[in-house]
Amino acid sequence: MKNMATSNFKQAPRSETAEKILDLAEMLIQTRGCSAFSYKDISDVLGVRKAGIHYHFEFKTDLGVAVVDRYTEPFGKALANIAGNKSSSSMAMLIARYAEFADTPDRVCLCGALAGEIPALLLKLRDRVDRFFTTHQWWLAEIPKRAVARGEFKLSGSASKTARLVFAALQGALVVRRTTADASQMTDIISALKSQLASA
Amino acid sequence: MKNMATSNFKQAPRSETAEKILDLAEMLIQTRGCSAFSYKDISDVLGVRKAGIHYHFEFKTDLGVAVVDRYTEPFGKALANIAGNKSSSSMAMLIARYAEFADTPDRVCLCGALAGEIPALLLKLRDRVDRFFTTHQWWLAEIPKRAVARGEFKLSGSASKTARLVFAALQGALVVRRTTADASQMTDIISALKSQLASA
DNA sequence: GTCTATACAAAGATAGAC
DNA sequence: GTCTATCTTTGTATAGAC
């Protein structure tokens, strides 16, 4: 787990079209999943032929990897930021940040969406999803540990188990919310999570 | 929410081949998702042509609906059973049952998998997933309420909020576990969940 | 460097053989 | 009632035009 905090995915600067393709692909994966979207979905919107997309991203898996890398980077920064914050509510900040980041209606966490079809993905992409999850759960354990060290609150159970619960609940909440299209699905779960943590 | 407990999906008796198709489709949806599997995946195993599957299930959506209905029925019965049980550990039974039901490595909850690609599904199938989730969360609120009524334990927060947290955590746990292929992902979350509920 | 025309395979579904 | 042969559309990818 060494150097987990600083693992990064530096990205080459990209053309404007490439960024638009990434935007659309990200949205499509989050709403429909990776297998259910095609280059046509993207080319239709951009007004080029399907093959035009292949120039920017030769294979679909490459496109998927690029989307994940771009998605992952600011997320990791936000977590590091929260961990460094010395104020008294880092855990709440963390949950809020997480919820907000995936706050677009109909979207789940990008990596949550991909995790749902892991066996259908090529290894390269699978690894990215795996890494995203591992990193996040590491942070979710690390942040409360630091808060405890600062005397912010006490921890009853194991930090890593609690971290896993929080992470799973957030990922699951995004999925459940989608079926009912009911925003309270998300807010209820977050409030339950907070009150559980407060008493821990 | 009336009659939620008894909503049922009666099923016509089916040929042996049809049952085999359902078995395979269920497995494929749980591992790869609905969009990522095709009739060919099934016909290859069964040793018939793709069109042979279409005889048993004319459209892919029909197959999906049949899979969900078959999956849903015993699940609902198990929940009703647990709710009726007068022993002292219904909540634990519930969680155990839930975990066990989806205990096959690499599989997530069937409806969790489908929820991940809701916008890519036809309405008929979407409704089934929606109903599964609604029913389950109803039970997850109802079961602790009954336990409280029997003096099994006290409830600090709202029952329905807690129910939503439990449900989301279990769904999320199944997804997260898959990426890491680490069984402790599931057991850690369940144990964290139980200890949270015990203190509630 | 950017895109179009085209190829090739796989998808879902129909019509008809047994 | 059960399955095969076949059709059409869509999906991914290559080769080549501008």
Side-chain angles (χ1 to χ4, degrees):
Chain A
M1 203 62 68
K2 212 177 113 194
N3 214 26
M4 184 59 74
T6 56
S7 70
N8 66 0
F9 307 87
K10 265 275 154 52
Q11 272 146 65
R14 259 188 275 262
S15 77
E16 217 168 294
T17 311
E19 288 292 339
K20 278 182 196 161
I21 293 171
L22 289 171
D23 288 341
L24 285 165
E26 181 178 308
M27 182 268 288
L28 287 164
I29 294 173
Q30 286 185 298
T31 52
R32 313 170 56 83
C34 197
S35 310
F37 92 90
S38 79
Y39 275 30
K40 183 174 183 299
D41 298 324
I42 295 172
S43 68
D44 280 351
V45 176
L46 259 60
V48 294
R49 305 282 147 181
K50 283 185 292 176
I53 314 298
H54 279 278
Y55 163 70
H56 296 278
F57 300 94
E58 193 173 0
F59 303 105
K60 201 184 175 187
T61 295
D62 296 338
L63 175 55
V65 168
V67 168
V68 172
D69 285 351
R70 197 186 61 154
Y71 178 90
T72 299
E73 204 195 349
F75 222 137
K77 278 183 189 161
L79 287 169
N81 236 11
I82 291 169
N85 191 303
K86 297 249 153 94
S87 91
S88 65
S89 54
S90 56
M91 198 66 189
M93 274 177 70
L94 166 67
I95 292 172
R97 173 85 182 98
Y98 202 97
E100 166 215 321
F101 196 97
D103 197 28
T104 321
D106 267 347
R107 295 205 194 187
V108 298
C109 168
L110 178 74
C111 291
L114 290 167
E117 41 187 349
I118 283 274
L121 305 178
L122 294 186
L123 185 63
K124 219 191 294 182
L125 195 43
R126 273 212 295 265
D127 284 344
R128 290 296 205 281
V129 177
D130 196 352
R131 172 125 63 145
F132 178 87
F133 278 20
T134 309
T135 306
H136 270 243
Q137 295 196 88
W138 183 84
W139 274 117
L140 283 165
E142 187 67 13
I143 289 172
K145 273 185 207 159
R146 297 186 187 187
V148 168
R150 289 197 300 273
E152 249 181 63
F153 65 81
K154 283 178 190 167
L155 219 56
S156 68
S158 141
S160 73
K161 279 188 186 179
T162 305
R164 285 177 165 186
L165 173 61
V166 171
F167 188 67
L170 290 169
Q171 289 285 337
L174 290 172
V175 172
V176 174
R177 178 201 54 172
R178 247 221 316 224
T179 61
T180 59
D182 173 4
S184 77
Q185 283 285 1
M186 194 76 203
T187 52
D188 274 9
I189 287 161
I190 288 174
S191 99
L193 213 47
K194 280 183 184 167
S195 74
Q196 296 287 357
L197 290 173
S199 69
Chain B
M1 202 62 69
K2 216 175 111 195
N3 215 26
M4 185 58 75
T6 54
S7 71
N8 66 359
F9 306 87
K10 265 275 154 51
Q11 270 147 64
R14 260 188 274 261
S15 77
E16 218 169 292
T17 311
E19 287 294 339
K20 277 184 198 159
I21 293 171
L22 289 170
D23 288 341
L24 285 164
E26 180 176 309
M27 182 270 287
L28 287 163
I29 294 174
Q30 286 186 297
T31 53
R32 312 169 57 83
C34 196
S35 310
F37 93 89
S38 79
Y39 275 30
K40 182 173 183 297
D41 297 324
I42 294 172
S43 68
D44 281 350
V45 177
L46 259 58
V48 294
R49 307 282 147 183
K50 280 186 296 172
I53 313 299
H54 279 279
Y55 163 69
H56 296 278
F57 299 94
E58 193 173 359
F59 302 106
K60 201 185 177 188
T61 295
D62 295 338
L63 175 55
V65 167
V67 169
V68 172
D69 284 352
R70 197 186 62 155
Y71 177 89
T72 299
E73 203 193 351
F75 221 136
K77 278 182 190 161
L79 287 170
N81 237 10
I82 290 169
N85 190 302
K86 297 249 153 96
S87 92
S88 66
S89 55
S90 56
M91 199 65 189
M93 274 177 71
L94 166 67
I95 292 172
R97 172 84 182 99
Y98 201 97
E100 166 214 323
F101 196 95
D103 199 26
T104 321
D106 266 348
R107 293 204 194 187
V108 298
C109 168
L110 178 75
C111 291
L114 291 168
E117 41 187 349
I118 283 275
L121 305 178
L122 294 187
L123 185 62
K124 221 191 293 184
L125 193 44
R126 270 211 298 263
D127 284 345
R128 290 296 204 280
V129 177
D130 195 351
R131 173 127 60 147
F132 178 87
F133 278 19
T134 309
T135 305
H136 269 243
Q137 297 198 87
W138 184 84
W139 274 117
L140 283 164
E142 187 66 13
I143 289 171
K145 273 184 208 161
R146 296 186 187 188
V148 168
R150 289 198 300 274
E152 249 180 61
F153 66 81
K154 285 178 190 167
L155 219 57
S156 70
S158 141
S160 72
K161 280 188 186 179
T162 306
R164 285 177 165 185
L165 173 62
V166 171
F167 188 66
L170 291 169
Q171 290 284 339
L174 290 171
V175 171
V176 173
R177 178 201 55 171
R178 250 229 304 235
T179 61
T180 59
D182 173 5
S184 77
Q185 283 284 359
M186 194 76 204
T187 53
D188 274 9
I189 287 161
I190 287 173
S191 97
L193 212 46
K194 280 183 185 166
S195 74
Q196 295 287 355
L197 289 174
S199 71

